[in-house]
């Protein structure tokens, strides 16, 4: 069994003022597994390629009012081939 796994993530925070905060993140999971079969020409492989992106914005209007907006997106590919 041959397994190639790549995993990573990054996060960025930005505070332009006391009232505003921004945050962004990115994550990746990239995995390819191959399993040679009994015959040399038969190889089964599984690919898992996943990515996620997200962001947050927080705004403080006053001591009693806070607004937070969150967005996110994900892409998932899981496939098997011979």
């Amino acid at each position: 069994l041959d397994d190639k796994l790549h995993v990573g993530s990054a996060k960025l925070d930005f505070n332009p003022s006391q009232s505003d905060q921004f945050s962004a993140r990115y994550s990746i999971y990239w995995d390819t597994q191959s399993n040679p079969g009994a015959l040399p020409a038969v190889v089964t492989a599984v690919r898992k390629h996943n990515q996620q992106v997200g962001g947050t914005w927080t705004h403080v209007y006053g001591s009693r009012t806070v607004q937070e907006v969150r967005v996110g997106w994900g892409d998932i590919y899981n496939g098997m081939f011979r």
Side-chain angles (χ1 to χ4, degrees):
L1 178 65
D2 182 28
D3 189 7
K4 294 181 182 178
L5 177 62
H6 305 280
V7 178
S9 63
K11 185 174 186 228
L12 176 67
D13 293 320
F14 177 58
N15 300 324
S17 68
Q18 290 183 344
S19 299
D20 289 301
Q21 296 177 348
F22 295 93
S23 177
R25 63 176 169 73
Y26 174 76
S27 300
I28 187 169
Y29 177 91
W30 198 275
D31 187 16
T32 302
Q33 298 174 344
S34 60
N35 189 10
L39 300 173
V42 179
V43 175
T44 301
V46 177
R47 286 187 180 161
K48 298 176 185 176
H49 298 171
N50 305 323
Q51 298 182 72
Q52 297 176 347
V53 177
T56 303
W57 168 51
T58 305
H59 181 78
V60 179
Y61 290 99
S63 62
R64 301 181 71 183
T65 307
V66 176
Q67 176 181 345
E68 183 174 78
V69 177
R70 296 181 184 187
V71 296
W73 174 81
D75 180 48
I76 299 173
Y77 170 79
N78 294 328
M80 187 169 94
F81 61 94
R82 292 182 191 253

